[in-house]
Amino acid sequence: EAGVAQSPRYKIIEKRQSVAFWCNPISGHATLYWYQQILGQGPKLLIQFQNNGVVDDSQLPKDRFSAERLKGVDSTLKIQPAKLEDSAVYLCASSPTSGIRYFGPGTRLTVT
Amino acid sequence: GENVEQHPSTLSVQEGDSAVIKCTYSDSASNYFPWYKQELGKRPQLIIDIRSNVGEKKDQRIAVTLNKTAKHFSLHITETQPEDSAVYFCAASTSGTYKYIFGTGTRLKVLA
């Protein structure tokens, strides 16, 4: 079974620039999550999709972060403009109805 | 809201010894508790989980115990091996929302 795919794996940008991350979940998984993992901390949920609808975006900084999952399959997460404190690993995960999370390899973002 | 505390933050053990990581949760409605292992630079992977209707679950050298009254659960690794070295995250979740709250992680080092 193919896992969750993410790209790019690494990204370095300057503050105030924009960046986008892409995620392709495991085939058949209706639920997709974006997490932010700051060094030394556990993953923090940014947004959860059920098919192409948003279930929970309560912790998404909506003034600068946006995400979409237009066709209910792959998803993009965008940051515009980036701040220094956005430096983190951005993890995408998907799950079947059981709710078990399957994580992708993550994108390590460094904002300078 | 739900809060999950995890201890210790770092743990060093000699190869062959046992390791125990403890987590405490605040929401008494939590009923699903997964444990994830994250090796350096890799994705978190589910290693074991437990639901609130059981008190203990074992899988070879790994076991998880749950005390619902005290609202804490623990990961036990016996006969530790160097490949067990990683960061371990606990999480608490409530069925229906499937929202995970992760602990802050424990860095386990197994010394050869």
Side-chain angles (χ1 to χ4, degrees):
Chain A
E1 176 184 85
V4 176
Q6 287 187 250
S7 67
R9 292 296 311 279
Y10 306 92
K11 191 72 177 180
I12 301 174
I13 62 172
E14 296 182 350
K15 60 183 178 183
R16 291 187 291 273
Q17 287 187 324
S18 63
V19 65
F21 312 129
W22 174 82
C23 172
N24 188 254
I26 293 173
S27 178
H29 284 191
T31 310
L32 184 148
Y33 315 82
W34 283 101
Y35 287 88
Q36 181 192 58
Q37 186 176 24
I38 293 173
L39 187 64
Q41 298 181 18
K44 184 186 85 171
L45 180 68
L46 293 175
I47 190 168
Q48 176 183 341
F49 292 95
Q50 181 75 18
N51 296 309
N52 61 347
V54 176
V55 174
D56 184 351
D57 64 355
S58 58
Q59 298 196 83
L60 186 74
K62 299 180 185 65
D63 58 333
R64 298 185 300 107
F65 286 64
S66 64
E68 60 182 14
R69 192 185 184 199
L70 292 175
K71 296 182 180 179
V73 181
D74 55 353
S75 175
T76 55
L77 175 70
K78 297 179 182 178
I79 307 175
Q80 182 179 11
K83 293 185 175 181
L84 295 176
E85 57 261 37
D86 297 333
S87 294
V89 174
Y90 290 84
L91 293 164
C92 179
S94 68
S95 66
T97 53
S98 66
I100 294 175
R101 309 289 196 266
Y102 295 86
F103 285 91
T107 296
R108 183 176 297 278
L109 174 66
T110 303
V111 182
T112 64
Chain B
E2 171 71 288
N3 183 49
V4 177
E5 294 186 359
Q6 183 171 347
H7 300 281
S9 57
T10 60
L11 178 60
S12 293
V13 299
Q14 290 292 328
E15 182 178 359
D17 286 352
S18 296
V20 181
I21 303 169
K22 299 181 180 179
C23 287
T24 304
Y25 60 98
S26 60
D27 187 352
S28 56
S30 295
N31 57 7
Y32 175 66
F33 309 92
W35 285 89
Y36 282 82
K37 174 183 179 183
Q38 188 174 27
E39 296 179 62
L40 188 63
K42 297 189 176 180
R43 72 190 74 193
Q45 291 194 304
L46 179 70
I47 55 172
I48 195 167
D49 56 9
I50 190 168
R51 298 189 185 274
S52 59
N53 57 346
V54 297
E56 182 176 1
K57 183 176 179 181
K58 293 184 72 173
D59 183 3
Q60 299 182 341
R61 298 186 296 108
I62 295 173
V64 57
T65 58
L66 171 65
N67 183 326
K68 289 171 54 180
T69 303
K71 290 192 285 188
H72 66 70
F73 55 111
S74 300
L75 178 71
H76 306 254
I77 305 174
T78 59
E79 300 173 20
T80 54
Q81 301 169 3
E83 53 264 38
D84 294 329
S85 295
V87 178
Y88 291 81
F89 292 98
C90 64
S93 176
T94 305
S95 64
T97 66
Y98 288 122
K99 184 171 184 175
Y100 283 23
I101 304 298
F102 283 92
T104 50
T106 296
R107 182 173 299 279
L108 173 65
K109 295 180 183 178
V110 180
L111 307 171

